Amino acid sequence: DGGITQSPKYLFRKEGQNVTLSCEQNLNHDAMYWYRQDPGQGLRLIYYSQIVNDFQKGDIAEGYSVSREKKESFPLTVTSAQKNPTAFYLCASSPEAQGDAKNIQYFGAGTRLSVL
Amino acid sequence: AQSVTQPDIHITVSEGASLELRCNYSYGATPYLFWYVQSPGQGLQLLLKYFSGDTLVQGIKGFEAEFKRSQSSFNLRKPSVHWSDAAEYFCAVGADDKIIFGKGTRLHILP
């Protein structure tokens, strides 16, 4: 089935450690996004990518990094510089980077990151 | 600046009763508007969208929403809720290269 796969479902980070969250899509979508969700805060955009080998910072990019080496993959690294990483992380993709369809986003099931 | 406001953090309705979740937006141009639903520990699922045309849009699971430009609103409605509708609902507006989400309304269903 086509969809967006996020792994792992649960992840634990030790102090000073970088961790990487995986996001893979087989929908042939051009654009991909990473959001952070905290209780009562809605979704906040971390990074997004409209095309392979290109990405832009969102509203809360500090302490995070991404890469887009393949169309289907958009991993997110939570670095040790992110002092409050405990949250639910959602990856999304969109069929197009331009036009009306760019606004339709499809979401993975999320990764819950906790700090040990 | 673009923004989305969902005034109700929690809403409780009885099973079988009607539902209306409120959403107000701020955006200079004609907006793209969305409602998403999220079950606990899951991702978001698109319920419905408004791009243009008929201001009353139908979505999945029996939901509908009405775009009212004069009120900058896009309220979500369902005539009769089911226990399985208990979830968190997010209104969103498409703005330039990104989507801006409201903070969500958690829907509780009384048996």
Side-chain angles (χ1 to χ4, degrees):
Chain A
D1 285 357
I4 301 171
T5 302
Q6 290 189 241
S7 62
K9 190 169 180 64
Y10 300 96
L11 186 58
F12 297 91
R13 193 191 89 168
K14 296 179 181 178
E15 292 287 337
Q17 186 181 43
N18 293 353
V19 292
T20 298
L21 285 61
S22 170
C23 179
E24 303 277 332
Q25 55 100 356
N26 59 5
L27 301 168
N28 199 34
H29 284 180
D30 287 334
M32 297 186 74
Y33 307 81
W34 274 106
Y35 293 92
R36 171 177 170 143
Q37 185 178 23
D38 297 280
Q41 295 296 313
L43 277 69
R44 293 182 289 169
L45 182 65
I46 305 172
Y47 269 98
Y48 64 105
S49 168
Q50 295 175 308
I51 194 170
V52 174
N53 293 322
D54 188 40
F55 46 83
Q56 287 77 41
K57 293 182 179 179
D59 301 318
I60 56 164
E62 185 174 351
Y64 300 97
S65 66
V66 293
S67 63
R68 187 88 186 276
E69 298 177 359
K70 299 184 296 181
K71 186 175 184 178
E72 59 270 24
S73 179
F74 191 40
L76 173 74
T77 296
V78 183
T79 74
S80 56
Q82 172 50 247
K83 296 307 179 187
N84 183 24
T86 297
F88 192 54
Y89 291 86
L90 287 163
C91 178
S93 69
S94 180
E96 297 174 12
Q98 303 295 331
D100 289 350
K102 71 180 182 183
N103 291 282
I104 304 173
Q105 295 189 7
Y106 300 86
F107 285 81
T111 293
R112 186 165 299 281
L113 175 62
S114 302
V115 176
L116 291 176
Chain B
Q2 304 93 341
S3 66
V4 178
T5 301
Q6 295 181 245
D8 304 303
I9 298 173
H10 294 273
I11 287 227
T12 301
V13 298
S14 297
E15 189 170 16
S18 64
L19 171 70
E20 182 169 32
L21 301 183
R22 297 184 291 163
C23 173
N24 294 97
Y25 67 90
S26 173
Y27 186 58
T30 299
Y32 299 113
L33 294 162
F34 308 86
W35 275 98
Y36 285 86
V37 61
Q38 184 182 33
S39 298
Q42 296 297 315
L44 276 67
Q45 181 182 21
L46 180 65
L47 282 176
L48 48 78
K49 62 185 184 294
Y50 171 78
F51 280 7
S52 65
D54 193 346
T55 57
L56 183 64
V57 294
Q58 303 297 320
I60 62 172
K61 305 185 180 189
F63 286 93
E64 67 178 25
E66 186 171 13
F67 170 54
K68 293 186 177 180
R69 185 186 300 276
S70 62
Q71 298 177 20
S72 297
S73 70
F74 188 57
N75 294 349
L76 182 71
R77 301 193 294 246
K78 187 171 185 178
S80 176
V81 298
H82 185 263
W83 63 266
S84 59
D85 294 324
E88 190 156 21
Y89 292 79
F90 293 92
C91 181
V93 59
D96 302 318
D97 288 338
K98 35 185 186 173
I99 292 182
I100 297 170
F101 289 85
K103 294 187 176 182
T105 297
R106 184 165 295 278
L107 175 63
H108 305 271
I109 307 294
L110 294 175

mmCIF file of all heavy atoms in Angstrom, chain A residues 18-59:
data_model
loop_
_atom_site.group_PDB
_atom_site.id
_atom_site.type_symbol
_atom_site.label_atom_id
_atom_site.label_comp_id
_atom_site.label_asym_id
_atom_site.label_seq_id
_atom_site.Cartn_x
_atom_site.Cartn_y
_atom_site.Cartn_z
ATOM 1 N N ASN A 18 22.875 12.662 19.446
ATOM 2 C CA ASN A 18 22.059 12.965 18.271
ATOM 3 C C ASN A 18 21.226 11.724 17.934
ATOM 4 O O ASN A 18 21.712 10.596 18.032
ATOM 5 C CB ASN A 18 22.937 13.297 17.063
ATOM 6 C CG ASN A 18 23.709 14.585 17.225
ATOM 7 O OD1 ASN A 18 23.509 15.325 18.182
ATOM 8 N ND2 ASN A 18 24.591 14.854 16.288
ATOM 9 N N VAL A 19 19.994 11.932 17.535
ATOM 10 C CA VAL A 19 19.167 10.818 17.096
ATOM 11 C C VAL A 19 18.518 11.181 15.763
ATOM 12 O O VAL A 19 18.253 12.351 15.496
ATOM 13 C CB VAL A 19 18.085 10.454 18.127
ATOM 14 C CG1 VAL A 19 18.704 9.873 19.379
ATOM 15 C CG2 VAL A 19 17.209 11.647 18.445
ATOM 16 N N THR A 20 18.281 10.153 14.949
ATOM 17 C CA THR A 20 17.695 10.384 13.632
ATOM 18 C C THR A 20 16.362 9.668 13.506
ATOM 19 O O THR A 20 16.259 8.473 13.808
ATOM 20 C CB THR A 20 18.651 9.919 12.519
ATOM 21 O OG1 THR A 20 19.857 10.693 12.592
ATOM 22 C CG2 THR A 20 18.014 10.114 11.150
ATOM 23 N N LEU A 21 15.355 10.417 13.066
ATOM 24 C CA LEU A 21 14.020 9.892 12.833
ATOM 25 C C LEU A 21 13.869 9.660 11.321
ATOM 26 O O LEU A 21 14.195 10.534 10.507
ATOM 27 C CB LEU A 21 12.958 10.881 13.312
ATOM 28 C CG LEU A 21 12.726 11.015 14.802
ATOM 29 C CD1 LEU A 21 13.962 11.481 15.552
ATOM 30 C CD2 LEU A 21 11.548 11.964 15.054
ATOM 31 N N SER A 22 13.344 8.500 10.994
ATOM 32 C CA SER A 22 13.215 8.142 9.592
ATOM 33 C C SER A 22 11.821 8.476 9.070
ATOM 34 O O SER A 22 10.828 8.313 9.775
ATOM 35 C CB SER A 22 13.479 6.642 9.420
ATOM 36 O OG SER A 22 13.153 6.210 8.118
ATOM 37 N N CYS A 23 11.762 8.934 7.825
ATOM 38 C CA CYS A 23 10.498 9.160 7.125
ATOM 39 C C CYS A 23 10.665 8.731 5.677
ATOM 40 O O CYS A 23 11.524 9.265 4.963
ATOM 41 C CB CYS A 23 10.082 10.617 7.198
ATOM 42 S SG CYS A 23 8.539 10.948 6.305
ATOM 43 N N GLU A 24 9.859 7.768 5.272
ATOM 44 C CA GLU A 24 9.908 7.250 3.903
ATOM 45 C C GLU A 24 8.505 7.288 3.312
ATOM 46 O O GLU A 24 7.537 6.930 3.968
ATOM 47 C CB GLU A 24 10.397 5.804 3.892
ATOM 48 C CG GLU A 24 11.760 5.591 4.533
ATOM 49 C CD GLU A 24 12.901 5.900 3.594
ATOM 50 O OE1 GLU A 24 12.707 5.769 2.368
ATOM 51 O OE2 GLU A 24 13.993 6.266 4.067
ATOM 52 N N GLN A 25 8.409 7.725 2.035
ATOM 53 C CA GLN A 25 7.106 7.724 1.361
ATOM 54 C C GLN A 25 7.234 7.062 -0.010
ATOM 55 O O GLN A 25 8.246 7.245 -0.695
ATOM 56 C CB GLN A 25 6.545 9.147 1.244
ATOM 57 C CG GLN A 25 7.466 10.158 0.575
ATOM 58 C CD GLN A 25 7.164 10.435 -0.871
ATOM 59 O OE1 GLN A 25 6.276 9.823 -1.471
ATOM 60 N NE2 GLN A 25 7.916 11.364 -1.463
ATOM 61 N N ASN A 26 6.204 6.284 -0.352
ATOM 62 C CA ASN A 26 6.181 5.639 -1.671
ATOM 63 C C ASN A 26 5.027 6.168 -2.498
ATOM 64 O O ASN A 26 4.460 5.449 -3.328
ATOM 65 C CB ASN A 26 6.121 4.119 -1.518
ATOM 66 C CG ASN A 26 4.899 3.663 -0.748
ATOM 67 O OD1 ASN A 26 4.035 4.475 -0.403
ATOM 68 N ND2 ASN A 26 4.809 2.373 -0.490
ATOM 69 N N LEU A 27 4.672 7.425 -2.256
ATOM 70 C CA LEU A 27 3.568 8.079 -2.959
ATOM 71 C C LEU A 27 4.050 8.876 -4.162
ATOM 72 O O LEU A 27 3.233 9.492 -4.854
ATOM 73 C CB LEU A 27 2.830 9.002 -1.982
ATOM 74 C CG LEU A 27 2.252 8.316 -0.741
ATOM 75 C CD1 LEU A 27 1.815 9.348 0.290
ATOM 76 C CD2 LEU A 27 1.079 7.429 -1.145
ATOM 77 N N ASN A 28 5.364 8.900 -4.360
ATOM 78 C CA ASN A 28 5.967 9.710 -5.428
ATOM 79 C C ASN A 28 5.658 11.198 -5.253
ATOM 80 O O ASN A 28 5.517 11.943 -6.227
ATOM 81 C CB ASN A 28 5.506 9.244 -6.815
ATOM 82 C CG ASN A 28 6.438 9.735 -7.923
ATOM 83 O OD1 ASN A 28 7.648 9.850 -7.721
ATOM 84 N ND2 ASN A 28 5.885 10.020 -9.085
ATOM 85 N N HIS A 29 5.562 11.620 -4.006
ATOM 86 C CA HIS A 29 5.290 13.027 -3.715
ATOM 87 C C HIS A 29 6.565 13.851 -3.810
ATOM 88 O O HIS A 29 7.648 13.401 -3.445
ATOM 89 C CB HIS A 29 4.677 13.169 -2.322
ATOM 90 C CG HIS A 29 3.254 12.762 -2.264
ATOM 91 N ND1 HIS A 29 2.513 12.812 -1.098
ATOM 92 C CD2 HIS A 29 2.403 12.316 -3.224
ATOM 93 C CE1 HIS A 29 1.281 12.415 -1.348
ATOM 94 N NE2 HIS A 29 1.187 12.102 -2.628
ATOM 95 N N ASP A 30 6.391 15.082 -4.277
ATOM 96 C CA ASP A 30 7.546 15.966 -4.427
ATOM 97 C C ASP A 30 7.990 16.573 -3.095
ATOM 98 O O ASP A 30 9.178 16.672 -2.819
ATOM 99 C CB ASP A 30 7.214 17.111 -5.391
ATOM 100 C CG ASP A 30 7.149 16.641 -6.833
ATOM 101 O OD1 ASP A 30 7.808 15.641 -7.165
ATOM 102 O OD2 ASP A 30 6.418 17.268 -7.628
ATOM 103 N N ALA A 31 7.023 17.036 -2.317
ATOM 104 C CA ALA A 31 7.348 17.815 -1.121
ATOM 105 C C ALA A 31 7.206 16.966 0.141
ATOM 106 O O ALA A 31 6.333 16.105 0.239
ATOM 107 C CB ALA A 31 6.440 19.040 -1.021
ATOM 108 N N MET A 32 8.094 17.226 1.092
ATOM 109 C CA MET A 32 8.033 16.537 2.379
ATOM 110 C C MET A 32 8.257 17.544 3.489
ATOM 111 O O MET A 32 8.932 18.563 3.311
ATOM 112 C CB MET A 32 9.064 15.404 2.438
ATOM 113 C CG MET A 32 8.799 14.315 1.402
ATOM 114 S SD MET A 32 9.869 12.882 1.551
ATOM 115 C CE MET A 32 9.184 12.072 3.015
ATOM 116 N N TYR A 33 7.711 17.217 4.686
ATOM 117 C CA TYR A 33 7.687 18.156 5.806
ATOM 118 C C TYR A 33 7.937 17.413 7.123
ATOM 119 O O TYR A 33 7.563 16.253 7.263
ATOM 120 C CB TYR A 33 6.298 18.817 5.906
ATOM 121 C CG TYR A 33 5.804 19.446 4.637
ATOM 122 C CD1 TYR A 33 5.220 18.684 3.629
ATOM 123 C CD2 TYR A 33 5.917 20.815 4.431
ATOM 124 C CE1 TYR A 33 4.768 19.258 2.451
ATOM 125 C CE2 TYR A 33 5.462 21.403 3.258
ATOM 126 C CZ TYR A 33 4.898 20.612 2.280
ATOM 127 O OH TYR A 33 4.445 21.185 1.118
ATOM 128 N N TRP A 34 8.521 18.130 8.071
ATOM 129 C CA TRP A 34 8.626 17.651 9.437
ATOM 130 C C TRP A 34 7.960 18.653 10.372
ATOM 131 O O TRP A 34 8.228 19.863 10.300
ATOM 132 C CB TRP A 34 10.081 17.480 9.861
ATOM 133 C CG TRP A 34 10.659 16.148 9.499
ATOM 134 C CD1 TRP A 34 11.541 15.873 8.513
ATOM 135 C CD2 TRP A 34 10.385 14.899 10.150
ATOM 136 N NE1 TRP A 34 11.835 14.531 8.486
ATOM 137 C CE2 TRP A 34 11.147 13.913 9.484
ATOM 138 C CE3 TRP A 34 9.582 14.509 11.223
ATOM 139 C CZ2 TRP A 34 11.127 12.564 9.859
ATOM 140 C CZ3 TRP A 34 9.564 13.181 11.591
ATOM 141 C CH2 TRP A 34 10.328 12.221 10.915
ATOM 142 N N TYR A 35 7.112 18.111 11.261
ATOM 143 C CA TYR A 35 6.438 18.916 12.265
ATOM 144 C C TYR A 35 6.766 18.370 13.653
ATOM 145 O O TYR A 35 6.954 17.177 13.840
ATOM 146 C CB TYR A 35 4.917 18.856 12.089
ATOM 147 C CG TYR A 35 4.397 19.506 10.843
ATOM 148 C CD1 TYR A 35 4.225 18.771 9.676
ATOM 149 C CD2 TYR A 35 4.050 20.849 10.830
ATOM 150 C CE1 TYR A 35 3.725 19.351 8.522
ATOM 151 C CE2 TYR A 35 3.545 21.443 9.682
ATOM 152 C CZ TYR A 35 3.391 20.685 8.536
ATOM 153 O OH TYR A 35 2.899 21.274 7.399
ATOM 154 N N ARG A 36 6.715 19.280 14.591
ATOM 155 C CA ARG A 36 6.793 18.903 15.992
ATOM 156 C C ARG A 36 5.444 19.203 16.629
ATOM 157 O O ARG A 36 4.862 20.279 16.397
ATOM 158 C CB ARG A 36 7.894 19.708 16.683
ATOM 159 C CG ARG A 36 7.908 19.550 18.183
ATOM 160 C CD ARG A 36 9.041 20.296 18.834
ATOM 161 N NE ARG A 36 8.871 20.294 20.288
ATOM 162 C CZ ARG A 36 9.894 20.186 21.146
ATOM 163 N NH1 ARG A 36 11.153 20.113 20.714
ATOM 164 N NH2 ARG A 36 9.652 20.173 22.444
ATOM 165 N N GLN A 37 4.950 18.260 17.448
ATOM 166 C CA GLN A 37 3.674 18.452 18.122
ATOM 167 C C GLN A 37 3.870 18.332 19.628
ATOM 168 O O GLN A 37 4.359 17.313 20.118
ATOM 169 C CB GLN A 37 2.630 17.436 17.639
ATOM 170 C CG GLN A 37 1.251 17.672 18.214
ATOM 171 C CD GLN A 37 0.214 16.693 17.687
ATOM 172 O OE1 GLN A 37 0.535 15.602 17.231
ATOM 173 N NE2 GLN A 37 -1.045 17.083 17.742
ATOM 174 N N ASP A 38 3.499 19.374 20.347
ATOM 175 C CA ASP A 38 3.487 19.378 21.804
ATOM 176 C C ASP A 38 2.047 19.550 22.258
ATOM 177 O O ASP A 38 1.243 20.199 21.579
ATOM 178 C CB ASP A 38 4.349 20.521 22.343
ATOM 179 C CG ASP A 38 5.826 20.370 21.967
ATOM 180 O OD1 ASP A 38 6.494 19.590 22.645
ATOM 181 O OD2 ASP A 38 6.271 21.022 21.009
ATOM 182 N N PRO A 39 1.704 19.012 23.417
ATOM 183 C CA PRO A 39 0.308 19.101 23.887
ATOM 184 C C PRO A 39 -0.185 20.544 23.916
ATOM 185 O O PRO A 39 0.476 21.424 24.469
ATOM 186 C CB PRO A 39 0.388 18.508 25.294
ATOM 187 C CG PRO A 39 1.556 17.588 25.260
ATOM 188 C CD PRO A 39 2.551 18.243 24.346
ATOM 189 N N GLY A 40 -1.331 20.770 23.318
ATOM 190 C CA GLY A 40 -1.933 22.096 23.334
ATOM 191 C C GLY A 40 -1.267 23.109 22.423
ATOM 192 O O GLY A 40 -1.642 24.291 22.432
ATOM 193 N N GLN A 41 -0.281 22.674 21.647
ATOM 194 C CA GLN A 41 0.452 23.618 20.789
ATOM 195 C C GLN A 41 0.167 23.452 19.312
ATOM 196 O O GLN A 41 0.694 24.197 18.494
ATOM 197 C CB GLN A 41 1.966 23.459 21.029
ATOM 198 C CG GLN A 41 2.416 23.837 22.425
ATOM 199 C CD GLN A 41 2.176 25.308 22.700
ATOM 200 O OE1 GLN A 41 2.497 26.170 21.889
ATOM 201 N NE2 GLN A 41 1.577 25.591 23.842
ATOM 202 N N GLY A 42 -0.602 22.480 18.941
ATOM 203 C CA GLY A 42 -0.798 22.229 17.524
ATOM 204 C C GLY A 42 0.473 21.706 16.896
ATOM 205 O O GLY A 42 1.326 21.108 17.569
ATOM 206 N N LEU A 43 0.630 21.912 15.596
ATOM 207 C CA LEU A 43 1.804 21.448 14.871
ATOM 208 C C LEU A 43 2.674 22.635 14.498
ATOM 209 O O LEU A 43 2.167 23.650 14.001
ATOM 210 C CB LEU A 43 1.380 20.725 13.588
ATOM 211 C CG LEU A 43 0.984 19.264 13.710
ATOM 212 C CD1 LEU A 43 -0.325 19.101 14.453
ATOM 213 C CD2 LEU A 43 0.877 18.619 12.335
ATOM 214 N N ARG A 44 3.956 22.494 14.703
ATOM 215 C CA ARG A 44 4.896 23.540 14.323
ATOM 216 C C ARG A 44 5.888 22.984 13.317
ATOM 217 O O ARG A 44 6.447 21.902 13.521
ATOM 218 C CB ARG A 44 5.607 24.093 15.557
ATOM 219 C CG ARG A 44 4.673 24.838 16.502
ATOM 220 C CD ARG A 44 5.427 25.419 17.683
ATOM 221 N NE ARG A 44 5.867 24.381 18.606
ATOM 222 C CZ ARG A 44 6.718 24.587 19.609
ATOM 223 N NH1 ARG A 44 7.237 25.783 19.802
ATOM 224 N NH2 ARG A 44 7.051 23.590 20.407
ATOM 225 N N LEU A 45 6.131 23.727 12.270
ATOM 226 C CA LEU A 45 6.949 23.275 11.154
ATOM 227 C C LEU A 45 8.427 23.396 11.484
ATOM 228 O O LEU A 45 8.893 24.469 11.865
ATOM 229 C CB LEU A 45 6.612 24.087 9.899
ATOM 230 C CG LEU A 45 7.326 23.717 8.620
ATOM 231 C CD1 LEU A 45 6.936 22.312 8.185
ATOM 232 C CD2 LEU A 45 6.992 24.731 7.533
ATOM 233 N N ILE A 46 9.163 22.287 11.305
ATOM 234 C CA ILE A 46 10.591 22.279 11.591
ATOM 235 C C ILE A 46 11.386 22.550 10.308
ATOM 236 O O ILE A 46 12.179 23.480 10.228
ATOM 237 C CB ILE A 46 11.029 20.930 12.192
ATOM 238 C CG1 ILE A 46 10.208 20.597 13.438
ATOM 239 C CG2 ILE A 46 12.514 20.951 12.528
ATOM 240 C CD1 ILE A 46 10.459 19.193 13.977
ATOM 241 N N TYR A 47 11.204 21.708 9.310
ATOM 242 C CA TYR A 47 11.863 21.823 8.013
ATOM 243 C C TYR A 47 10.910 21.319 6.943
ATOM 244 O O TYR A 47 10.033 20.513 7.209
ATOM 245 C CB TYR A 47 13.134 20.965 7.958
ATOM 246 C CG TYR A 47 14.415 21.636 8.377
ATOM 247 C CD1 TYR A 47 14.911 21.463 9.665
ATOM 248 C CD2 TYR A 47 15.139 22.416 7.490
ATOM 249 C CE1 TYR A 47 16.099 22.059 10.060
ATOM 250 C CE2 TYR A 47 16.331 23.020 7.867
ATOM 251 C CZ TYR A 47 16.805 22.843 9.157
ATOM 252 O OH TYR A 47 17.987 23.437 9.535
ATOM 253 N N TYR A 48 11.137 21.777 5.715
ATOM 254 C CA TYR A 48 10.420 21.216 4.593
ATOM 255 C C TYR A 48 11.308 21.193 3.363
ATOM 256 O O TYR A 48 12.284 21.946 3.268
ATOM 257 C CB TYR A 48 9.106 21.951 4.319
ATOM 258 C CG TYR A 48 9.216 23.400 3.908
ATOM 259 C CD1 TYR A 48 9.017 23.775 2.592
ATOM 260 C CD2 TYR A 48 9.478 24.393 4.852
ATOM 261 C CE1 TYR A 48 9.083 25.112 2.215
ATOM 262 C CE2 TYR A 48 9.550 25.717 4.484
ATOM 263 C CZ TYR A 48 9.346 26.076 3.170
ATOM 264 O OH TYR A 48 9.418 27.402 2.806
ATOM 265 N N SER A 49 10.942 20.305 2.442
ATOM 266 C CA SER A 49 11.725 20.128 1.219
ATOM 267 C C SER A 49 10.760 20.018 0.045
ATOM 268 O O SER A 49 9.842 19.214 0.063
ATOM 269 C CB SER A 49 12.574 18.860 1.320
ATOM 270 O OG SER A 49 13.122 18.528 0.069
ATOM 271 N N GLN A 50 11.003 20.825 -0.964
ATOM 272 C CA GLN A 50 10.131 20.804 -2.141
ATOM 273 C C GLN A 50 10.721 19.984 -3.276
ATOM 274 O O GLN A 50 10.012 19.635 -4.223
ATOM 275 C CB GLN A 50 9.868 22.235 -2.614
ATOM 276 C CG GLN A 50 9.085 23.054 -1.602
ATOM 277 C CD GLN A 50 8.932 24.500 -2.037
ATOM 278 O OE1 GLN A 50 9.907 25.160 -2.371
ATOM 279 N NE2 GLN A 50 7.709 24.989 -2.020
ATOM 280 N N ILE A 51 12.021 19.672 -3.155
ATOM 281 C CA ILE A 51 12.683 18.942 -4.230
ATOM 282 C C ILE A 51 13.920 18.275 -3.656
ATOM 283 O O ILE A 51 14.451 18.720 -2.622
ATOM 284 C CB ILE A 51 13.047 19.910 -5.387
ATOM 285 C CG1 ILE A 51 13.420 19.149 -6.651
ATOM 286 C CG2 ILE A 51 14.132 20.863 -4.954
ATOM 287 C CD1 ILE A 51 13.559 20.043 -7.864
ATOM 288 N N VAL A 52 14.373 17.237 -4.319
ATOM 289 C CA VAL A 52 15.572 16.535 -3.863
ATOM 290 C C VAL A 52 16.756 17.494 -3.773
ATOM 291 O O VAL A 52 16.913 18.393 -4.601
ATOM 292 C CB VAL A 52 15.884 15.368 -4.816
ATOM 293 C CG1 VAL A 52 17.209 14.702 -4.442
ATOM 294 C CG2 VAL A 52 14.771 14.335 -4.771
ATOM 295 N N ASN A 53 17.557 17.289 -2.736
ATOM 296 C CA ASN A 53 18.768 18.083 -2.487
ATOM 297 C C ASN A 53 18.489 19.545 -2.163
ATOM 298 O O ASN A 53 19.395 20.387 -2.297
ATOM 299 C CB ASN A 53 19.749 17.978 -3.668
ATOM 300 C CG ASN A 53 20.331 16.580 -3.808
ATOM 301 O OD1 ASN A 53 20.615 15.916 -2.815
ATOM 302 N ND2 ASN A 53 20.503 16.135 -5.033
ATOM 303 N N ASP A 54 17.284 19.840 -1.747
ATOM 304 C CA ASP A 54 16.957 21.207 -1.335
ATOM 305 C C ASP A 54 15.970 21.154 -0.183
ATOM 306 O O ASP A 54 15.054 20.318 -0.170
ATOM 307 C CB ASP A 54 16.352 21.982 -2.498
ATOM 308 C CG ASP A 54 16.180 23.452 -2.147
ATOM 309 O OD1 ASP A 54 17.074 24.019 -1.493
ATOM 310 O OD2 ASP A 54 15.144 24.023 -2.512
ATOM 311 N N PHE A 55 16.156 22.022 0.806
ATOM 312 C CA PHE A 55 15.218 22.084 1.919
ATOM 313 C C PHE A 55 15.284 23.477 2.540
ATOM 314 O O PHE A 55 16.261 24.216 2.359
ATOM 315 C CB PHE A 55 15.504 21.010 2.973
ATOM 316 C CG PHE A 55 16.950 20.881 3.368
ATOM 317 C CD1 PHE A 55 17.495 21.720 4.324
ATOM 318 C CD2 PHE A 55 17.752 19.912 2.793
ATOM 319 C CE1 PHE A 55 18.825 21.602 4.701
ATOM 320 C CE2 PHE A 55 19.086 19.784 3.164
ATOM 321 C CZ PHE A 55 19.628 20.635 4.116
ATOM 322 N N GLN A 56 14.214 23.831 3.276
ATOM 323 C CA GLN A 56 14.117 25.150 3.898
ATOM 324 C C GLN A 56 13.766 24.999 5.372
ATOM 325 O O GLN A 56 13.072 24.068 5.764
ATOM 326 C CB GLN A 56 13.028 26.003 3.231
ATOM 327 C CG GLN A 56 13.385 26.516 1.852
ATOM 328 C CD GLN A 56 13.260 25.452 0.793
ATOM 329 O OE1 GLN A 56 12.315 24.673 0.815
ATOM 330 N NE2 GLN A 56 14.206 25.421 -0.131
ATOM 331 N N LYS A 57 14.244 25.956 6.149
ATOM 332 C CA LYS A 57 13.900 25.982 7.562
ATOM 333 C C LYS A 57 12.441 26.386 7.732
ATOM 334 O O LYS A 57 11.924 27.249 7.024
ATOM 335 C CB LYS A 57 14.785 26.966 8.311
ATOM 336 C CG LYS A 57 16.251 26.552 8.382
ATOM 337 C CD LYS A 57 17.058 27.565 9.181
ATOM 338 C CE LYS A 57 18.517 27.130 9.280
ATOM 339 N NZ LYS A 57 19.322 28.124 10.045
ATOM 340 N N GLY A 58 11.822 25.753 8.726
ATOM 341 C CA GLY A 58 10.496 26.160 9.134
ATOM 342 C C GLY A 58 10.573 27.130 10.301
ATOM 343 O O GLY A 58 11.531 27.875 10.456
ATOM 344 N N ASP A 59 9.568 27.074 11.152
ATOM 345 C CA ASP A 59 9.466 28.032 12.249
ATOM 346 C C ASP A 59 10.353 27.700 13.443
ATOM 347 O O ASP A 59 10.695 28.587 14.231
ATOM 348 C CB ASP A 59 8.008 28.122 12.708
ATOM 349 C CG ASP A 59 7.087 28.553 11.590
ATOM 350 O OD1 ASP A 59 7.464 29.479 10.832
ATOM 351 O OD2 ASP A 59 6.002 27.964 11.445
#
